[in-house]
Amino acid sequence: MVVFQVTRVQTTLFDGQKPGTSGLRKKVKVFIQPNYLHNFVQSTFNALGADKVRGATLVVSGDGRYFSKDAIQIITKMAAANGVRRIWVGQNGLLSTPAVSGVIRERVGHDGSKANGAFILTASHNPGGPHEDFGIKYNMENGGPAPESVTDKIYENTKTIKEYLIAEGLPDVDISTVAVTSFTGPEGQFDVDVFDSTSDYVKLMKSIFDFESIKSLLSSPNFSFCYDALHGVAGVYAKRIFVEELGAVESSLLNCIPKEDFGGGHPDPNLTYAKELVARMGLGKANNESEPPEFGAAADGDADRNMVLGKRFFVTPSDSVAIIAANAVEAIPYFSSGLKGVARSMPTSAALDVVAKHLNLKFFEVPTGWKFFGNLMDAGMCSVCGEESFGTGSDHIREKDGIWAVLAWLSILAYKNKDNLGAGKLVAVEDIVRHHWSVYGRHYYTRYDYENVDAGGAKELMAHLVKLQSSLSEVNKIIKGIRSDVSNVVHADEFEYKDPVDGSVSKHQGIRYLFEDGSRLVFRLSGTGSEGATIRVYIEQYVKDSSKTGRDSQEALAPLVKVAIKLSKLEEFTGRSAPTVIT
């Protein structure tokens, strides 16, 4: 058995190691600087404290992006030096973010151990490769992202760190083979447990959904299916679940081999970046001669986000979470006894609010960031939740879960079609959405992303919008000058959230303009980019009249879009005449 010693290494500070809404994300060239990753990892151990680190079991894995394998070896050696008892690594370093959360909560090691937390190596939906993005975040013992109280400590530590600990004599561990490797250090035995990436997650999904009913749907001659992993980690789970467990044909999987650079693509499941799936589903600009599948879905790099499509039909994430909540009790065994409550992020459309009111459910509006949902779930107050940025999930774990969302939709389709799988026309995705609109009304909704804009200009734009809020009469005068057919703003604020569980207050969470007719404009600076600033503009209009719910979304929202761009002086502050992405 290899014996290692602990080395204390002097280090210098790096500016800007502040975790965003989901960890620290920078270009690979930043992370590969000597000691850059080491500083952040040691700062995390110091923030957690020796009592939580010594003897701990930690998961270290991620979406497989470039630099992940090197990072796993560095973190493993630092963990050993800091007194961690064992490290769990998904085979080949691959674990989806939702799978990591599930592993923390559910997995029992060969020696009866349970995980205390995890380093997840991902930059989520950001591109990967030598010249692209890398990221790292820490998740707590509940399986959810570290709260601000911890990430603030980590950041403060990065500003004062003088040394880090590392077991330099520890050899690199083979992470390609399932096995337990043991070493001995100053504090005793240290194990690295490389385990199958999919088995724990598959077991969890089988405890939630009726796999037999979904299998019947997928085997129906009338039903066809397509899933695009965008060369992210979801591909590992897609093959195991959709093909091996549920019987889908392998040709229904697109881009399901994980790659360090995501095949040179942008692993963000939206209509702009999931081009191949969009074309196959009949939504592309080019004419698709073949008949599109009945159902299509895509994942992002770490498989926590999802996009759901029907034949020639796009389901907005805001509608998706509302429809899942409305149908969960009937269609998904896990929820058969009822929902504890539902929640959405503030920028997400109010479609879920209407469902909650209709079904008399507890409802919560929280800032962007899954940790806010996690608090509600830990307190037993929320069952289903979602974000408009293609994130949907439930209290089975403490992260959003892209494959869970796809299985939820397949469960709803299986339930709606349980009596006509053999013959006749199936109830399609579009049918389910349009029926939902007829019952609850439609929230026309779009998001304009302006990526990598100058950070100074972005801050000036936000300050301008806050200043405008001091006089709603002036705001309405400006709006009428832009579009006279848009209703008046009746409330405007900068969203602030007081957590009903721990009482913590989160300020400056986005700027809102709420209109008399239920429409909304929301402006946010995103915390998920690796450089510059991303301005997100959310535009929403609510229509209850079922005769008016069938319009094209961009056409229906055109007046509000014009107001949003002119009111914010977006082009003036950013120099951008068009968004990077429209969803």
Side-chain angles (χ1 to χ4, degrees):
M1 188 181 290
V2 173
V3 178
F4 64 86
Q5 301 299 320
V6 174
T7 304
R8 292 180 177 271
V9 181
Q10 300 299 305
T11 189
T12 53
L13 303 178
F14 293 93
D15 290 333
Q17 288 193 314
K18 183 176 177 62
T21 50
S22 202
L24 180 67
R25 294 180 188 172
K26 301 286 182 184
K27 293 296 180 188
V28 167
K29 66 183 179 185
V30 175
F31 266 101
I32 62 175
Q33 295 175 92
N35 296 349
Y36 188 89
L37 176 63
H38 301 71
N39 278 20
F40 187 80
V41 172
Q42 188 64 56
S43 295
T44 303
F45 285 139
N46 294 346
L48 294 169
D51 58 322
K52 286 198 172 183
V53 174
R54 293 189 184 284
T57 298
L58 298 180
V59 186
V60 184
S61 289
D63 60 19
R65 66 180 54 235
Y66 186 85
F67 189 57
S68 293
K69 289 176 180 174
D70 294 330
I72 289 169
Q73 302 296 345
I74 291 168
I75 296 167
T76 297
K77 292 169 186 177
M78 292 187 67
N82 278 274
V84 170
R85 171 64 181 82
R86 61 185 68 78
I87 291 290
W88 289 353
V89 182
Q91 189 173 16
N92 295 311
L94 297 174
L95 280 176
S96 72
T97 293
V100 172
S101 186
V103 162
I104 294 172
R105 295 174 64 82
E106 304 287 340
R107 185 174 192 258
V108 179
H110 64 96
D111 56 359
S113 53
K114 292 273 289 178
N116 302 96
F119 284 100
I120 307 181
L121 308 176
T122 178
S124 189
H125 53 295
N126 295 9
H131 306 292
E132 296 296 347
D133 297 349
F134 186 75
I136 179 171
K137 69 171 184 171
Y138 189 81
N139 277 36
M140 306 297 285
E141 59 271 13
N142 73 338
E148 287 179 350
S149 59
V150 174
T151 56
D152 287 347
K153 273 188 192 174
I154 295 171
Y155 179 50
E156 289 306 313
N157 289 342
T158 68
K159 295 192 288 186
T160 59
I161 188 170
K162 291 183 172 63
E163 64 176 18
Y164 62 82
L165 308 182
I166 191 162
E168 288 188 326
L170 198 72
D172 284 359
V173 176
D174 177 7
I175 60 172
S176 67
T177 305
V178 171
V180 178
T181 310
S182 298
F183 306 94
T184 299
E187 297 188 33
Q189 188 168 323
F190 172 71
D191 294 336
V192 180
D193 179 357
V194 179
F195 63 99
D196 179 77
S197 302
T198 61
S199 55
D200 296 287
Y201 183 78
V202 171
K203 182 181 175 185
L204 181 59
M205 292 301 104
K206 282 185 164 182
S207 74
I208 296 169
F209 301 103
D210 180 350
F211 269 41
E212 286 306 311
S213 71
I214 299 174
K215 196 171 184 177
S216 297
L217 174 72
L218 291 180
S219 65
S220 168
N222 299 329
F223 187 80
S224 45
F225 166 85
C226 186
Y227 186 81
D228 189 347
L230 296 176
H231 288 302
V233 73
V236 176
Y237 301 88
K239 185 173 182 183
R240 175 74 192 276
I241 291 173
F242 299 130
V243 176
E244 294 177 18
E245 295 285 344
L246 295 172
V249 293
E250 196 146 357
S251 60
S252 62
L253 303 184
L254 296 176
N255 305 312
C256 279
I257 298 173
K259 295 186 177 179
E260 289 188 336
D261 65 349
F262 305 110
H266 193 144
D268 197 353
N270 59 45
L271 295 172
T272 301
Y273 294 126
K275 296 182 180 72
E276 193 173 345
L277 176 70
V278 167
R280 187 177 284 203
M281 296 303 296
L283 286 161
K285 291 176 183 175
N287 286 328
N288 189 352
E289 292 180 10
S290 59
E291 186 69 4
E294 289 293 324
F295 179 87
D300 67 335
D302 66 332
D304 63 350
R305 296 177 189 230
N306 74 95
M307 176 172 68
V308 170
L309 302 173
K311 184 186 293 185
R312 303 185 186 93
F313 190 83
F314 169 62
V315 183
T316 72
S318 297
D319 278 345
S320 181
V321 66
I323 289 165
I324 290 172
N327 292 279
V329 174
E330 287 180 325
I332 302 170
Y334 180 81
F335 300 115
S336 59
S337 60
L339 300 180
K340 298 164 188 170
V342 295
R344 65 165 172 84
S345 67
M346 181 274 287
T348 302
S349 96
L352 186 61
D353 313 34
V354 181
V355 171
K357 187 175 181 181
H358 191 86
L359 300 180
N360 197 27
L361 296 170
K362 287 180 189 172
F363 167 78
F364 303 92
E365 180 182 34
V366 308
T368 297
W370 214 259
K371 52 197 166 192
F372 298 104
F373 295 131
N375 262 12
L376 297 171
M377 290 172 176
D378 286 345
M381 299 162 74
C382 176
S383 294
V384 172
C385 58
E387 295 181 337
E388 51 68 43
S389 53
F390 296 86
T392 327
S394 88
D395 60 353
H396 67 290
I397 54 170
R398 297 296 179 267
E399 289 277 6
K400 48 186 173 275
D401 191 343
I403 287 179
W404 173 91
V406 173
L407 290 170
W409 264 95
L410 291 174
S411 297
I412 293 166
L413 283 162
Y415 177 78
K416 299 285 186 187
N417 288 289
K418 62 182 184 293
D419 297 324
N420 62 334
L421 290 176
K425 186 179 181 297
L426 292 179
V427 176
V429 170
E430 182 174 353
D431 298 329
I432 290 170
V433 176
R434 292 194 182 280
H435 174 72
H436 184 88
W437 292 340
S438 72
V439 175
Y440 298 102
R442 180 177 182 183
H443 292 258
Y444 286 101
Y445 186 86
T446 191
R447 186 182 93 196
Y448 280 36
D449 285 3
Y450 296 81
E451 296 175 342
N452 294 329
V453 301
D454 175 72
K459 285 178 182 174
E460 287 179 21
L461 180 147
M462 300 300 277
H464 162 70
L465 286 166
V466 170
K467 188 177 179 182
L468 273 179
Q469 293 180 341
S470 61
S471 173
L472 291 190
S473 59
E474 184 62 27
V475 167
N476 286 319
K477 185 178 174 184
I478 294 169
I479 288 173
K480 293 302 179 191
I482 300 167
R483 287 291 301 225
S484 60
D485 55 344
V486 170
S487 74
N488 284 330
V489 173
V490 291
H491 180 78
D493 65 10
E494 200 169 2
F495 183 61
E496 185 174 299
Y497 177 69
K498 183 174 182 181
D499 195 301
V501 180
D502 62 19
S504 62
V505 176
S506 300
K507 299 182 178 183
H508 310 298
Q509 295 297 315
I511 295 162
R512 304 189 298 180
Y513 287 83
L514 311 182
F515 293 75
E516 197 170 19
D517 64 354
S519 300
R520 296 194 313 161
L521 293 180
V522 176
F523 301 83
R524 273 186 70 247
L525 292 182
S526 170
T528 60
S530 63
E531 62 182 4
T534 293
I535 299 170
R536 288 186 169 155
V537 186
Y538 310 83
I539 301 127
E540 174 182 357
Q541 184 168 30
Y542 179 57
V543 176
K544 183 69 177 85
D545 185 344
S546 59
S547 68
K548 297 179 180 177
T549 59
R551 297 177 68 192
D552 173 76
S553 184
Q554 293 299 327
E555 176 194 320
L557 291 167
L560 273 174
V561 168
K562 189 172 183 182
V563 166
I565 291 169
K566 296 283 188 183
L567 185 68
S568 64
K569 296 185 177 178
L570 207 148
E571 189 168 352
E572 184 179 318
F573 283 114
T574 68
R576 298 287 182 87
S577 58
T580 318
V581 177
I582 298 175
T583 54

